[in-house]
Amino acid sequence: MHLQNNTILITGGTSGFGYGFAARFIALGNTVIITGRNAEKLRETRQKLPAVHIIQSDVRNPEDIARLYRQVTHQFPALNILINNAGEMRKLIMQQPEQATDLTREIEINLMGPIRMTEQFLPHLKRQKNAAILNVTSGIALMPMPLTPVYSASKAGLRFFTQALRVQLKNTGVKVFELVAPGSPTPLNDQFKEVDGFNPKMLMPADKIIDQALKGMKKDTYEIYPGLFKVLRYVIRFFPGAMLSFAGKMGAQQMYAQPSLNR
Ligand SMILES: NC(=O)c1ccc[n+]([C@@H]2O[C@H](COP(=O)([O-])OP(=O)(O)OC[C@H]3O[C@@H](n4cnc5c(N)ncnc54)[C@H](OP(=O)(O)O)[C@@H]3O)[C@@H](O)[C@H]2O)c1
């Protein structure tokens, strides 16, 4: 697809992949609107990227999505690309109930958010030329990370939703992409730096991932696997048990600690 002269809405554009997408798409001559919950971070992002348009909006909140739709389609009627990027990831240890408050948050942000965004924006996108939806899933959509069970479920769910949507939209002009992103040193991963088994060498710089994503979109490669996941996707398919046990090494000390006796 053409990656110039588009109008692109990116959820979660104030850091990491969302910021990287925004900077690259602006440099290519596109109009870019980003969202985020934190107004201060949005203002800082606009200082760094003066051409970016910012709208405060929480993808977890259906009323915010409806408001976002009204504002974007009013101010930017040429909107033709939606990037569902906003996401959160938390360590959650199910044997320690005190850690499990707000348990379904990643499902609401990472899975229900893109589903609701798609429902809201699809009729508009169907009327546009060169229209697309790109959903940012994760290598963790192919194989769970035991330390992040709800995140794993959210990304696996988003992957299946994306695949089903692609089939449903095959007779429309809306292309459906999935970026199966590998781990990257963005703020999302800050909380894992001290976790046993965390290996920063496994992470891929965000700008390289965005580079691969743009190349994939340009060539209409609907499932984009940057870096290690080009190969790991097959290893996971053929050796799922071994890969799951490998993934279970990260955070093992915390996961296998005995729950306190008074529970
Ligand atoms: N980094 C990785 O290793 C990795 C690997 C695979 C996939 N991913 C996925 O890539 C996507 C981007 O992650 P990242 O690594 O770039 O993380 P990040 O640097 O933490 O950025 C997340 C962005 O999403 C926004 N956001 C979070 N919750 C939101 C909500 N409810 N509504 C609107 N905006 C929200 C954040 O801004 P506010 O906090 O201000 O809202 C921020 O702009 C996520 O879907 C993540 O799951 C990341």
Side-chain angles (χ1 to χ4, degrees), residues 14-15 17 37-38 58-59 85 137 151 155 184 186 189:
T14 54
S15 61
F17 298 160
R37 294 163 299 186
N38 183 319
D58 183 346
V59 82
N85 164 78
T137 68
Y151 178 84
K155 290 296 180 179
S184 182
T186 67
N189 270 313

Side-chain angles (χ1 to χ4, degrees), residues 63 73 80 88 116 128 141 157 159 169 196 198 229 231 258:
E63 285 168 15
T73 51
N80 64 320
E88 275 196 13
R116 289 188 171 128
Q128 307 296 323
R159 177 171 170 80
L169 299 188
D196 56 295
F198 178 76
F229 279 99
V231 176
Q258 288 303 307

Side-chain angles (χ1 to χ4, degrees), residues 129-235:
K129 292 209 171 82
N130 198 44
I133 297 172
L134 181 141
N135 290 338
V136 181
T137 68
S138 166
I140 295 177
L142 308 179
M143 174 193 78
M145 178 65 73
L147 190 58
T148 64
V150 181
Y151 178 84
S152 301
S154 74
K155 290 296 180 179
L158 182 58
R159 177 171 170 80
F160 269 32
F161 175 74
T162 307
Q163 292 178 345
L165 183 69
R166 186 177 304 122
V167 174
Q168 287 200 8
L169 299 188
K170 73 175 182 187
N171 295 329
T172 73
V174 185
K175 295 172 176 170
V176 180
F177 293 93
E178 178 187 5
L179 173 60
V180 187
S184 182
T186 67
L188 183 104
N189 270 313
D190 285 350
Q191 65 189 297
F192 295 96
K193 282 182 183 154
E194 308 301 322
V195 169
D196 56 295
F198 178 76
N199 181 358
K201 289 192 187 136
M202 300 282 284
L203 302 179
M204 183 173 178
D207 57 339
K208 293 217 163 83
I209 295 172
I210 301 305
D211 203 47
Q212 297 283 304
L214 265 53
K215 281 187 181 136
M217 289 176 84
K218 201 169 175 185
K219 287 196 259 174
D220 286 341
T221 302
Y222 295 121
E223 291 189 358
I224 304 166
Y225 296 90
L228 279 178
F229 279 99
K230 272 191 198 72
V231 176
L232 276 184
R233 56 189 284 223
Y234 298 110
V235 181

Side-chain angles (χ1 to χ4, degrees), residues 5-261:
N5 302 318
N6 300 291
T7 302
I8 304 172
L9 173 62
I10 304 170
T11 63
T14 54
S15 61
F17 298 160
Y19 180 86
F21 269 123
R24 288 292 296 277
F25 277 127
I26 286 171
L28 286 169
N30 299 283
T31 299
V32 175
I33 308 118
I34 61 163
T35 70
R37 294 163 299 186
N38 183 319
E40 190 52 41
K41 275 167 50 182
L42 284 164
R43 279 193 291 272
E44 283 168 17
T45 306
R46 197 174 42 194
Q47 277 171 5
K48 287 190 265 175
L49 287 178
V52 83
H53 301 274
I54 56 172
I55 301 179
Q56 187 176 18
S57 183
D58 183 346
V59 82
R60 188 183 181 193
N61 180 347
E63 285 168 15
D64 271 22
I65 291 179
R67 251 195 310 273
L68 178 68
Y69 174 75
R70 286 194 295 273
Q71 186 174 348
V72 170
T73 51
H74 179 70
Q75 284 181 13
F76 306 96
L79 175 79
N80 64 320
I81 298 179
L82 167 64
I83 301 190
N84 284 311
N85 164 78
E88 275 196 13
M89 171 159 82
R90 293 172 301 163
K91 300 182 268 182
L92 276 174
I93 298 179
M94 300 299 290
Q95 291 199 72
Q96 294 174 3
E98 66 276 14
Q99 291 203 25
T101 55
D102 204 7
L103 192 61
T104 58
R105 197 162 88 209
E106 286 117 313
I107 301 287
E108 291 156 32
I109 297 174
N110 305 352
L111 177 57
M112 291 164 70
I115 292 172
R116 289 188 171 128
M117 287 289 291
T118 301
E119 180 196 29
Q120 181 73 81
F121 284 86
L122 185 57
H124 177 87
L125 293 176
K126 280 172 64 182
R127 292 192 289 271
Q128 307 296 323
K129 292 209 171 82
N130 198 44
I133 297 172
L134 181 141
N135 290 338
V136 181
T137 68
S138 166
I140 295 177
L142 308 179
M143 174 193 78
M145 178 65 73
L147 190 58
T148 64
V150 181
Y151 178 84
S152 301
S154 74
K155 290 296 180 179
L158 182 58
R159 177 171 170 80
F160 269 32
F161 175 74
T162 307
Q163 292 178 345
L165 183 69
R166 186 177 304 122
V167 174
Q168 287 200 8
L169 299 188
K170 73 175 182 187
N171 295 329
T172 73
V174 185
K175 295 172 176 170
V176 180
F177 293 93
E178 178 187 5
L179 173 60
V180 187
S184 182
T186 67
L188 183 104
N189 270 313
D190 285 350
Q191 65 189 297
F192 295 96
K193 282 182 183 154
E194 308 301 322
V195 169
D196 56 295
F198 178 76
N199 181 358
K201 289 192 187 136
M202 300 282 284
L203 302 179
M204 183 173 178
D207 57 339
K208 293 217 163 83
I209 295 172
I210 301 305
D211 203 47
Q212 297 283 304
L214 265 53
K215 281 187 181 136
M217 289 176 84
K218 201 169 175 185
K219 287 196 259 174
D220 286 341
T221 302
Y222 295 121
E223 291 189 358
I224 304 166
Y225 296 90
L228 279 178
F229 279 99
K230 272 191 198 72
V231 176
L232 276 184
R233 56 189 284 223
Y234 298 110
V235 181
I236 291 165
R237 185 180 299 167
F238 293 114
F239 304 101
M243 290 303 288
L244 186 54
S245 127
F246 175 73
K249 293 198 162 83
M250 187 164 135
Q253 283 170 16
Q254 291 175 54
M255 284 191 291
Y256 307 138
Q258 288 303 307
S260 51
L261 286 174

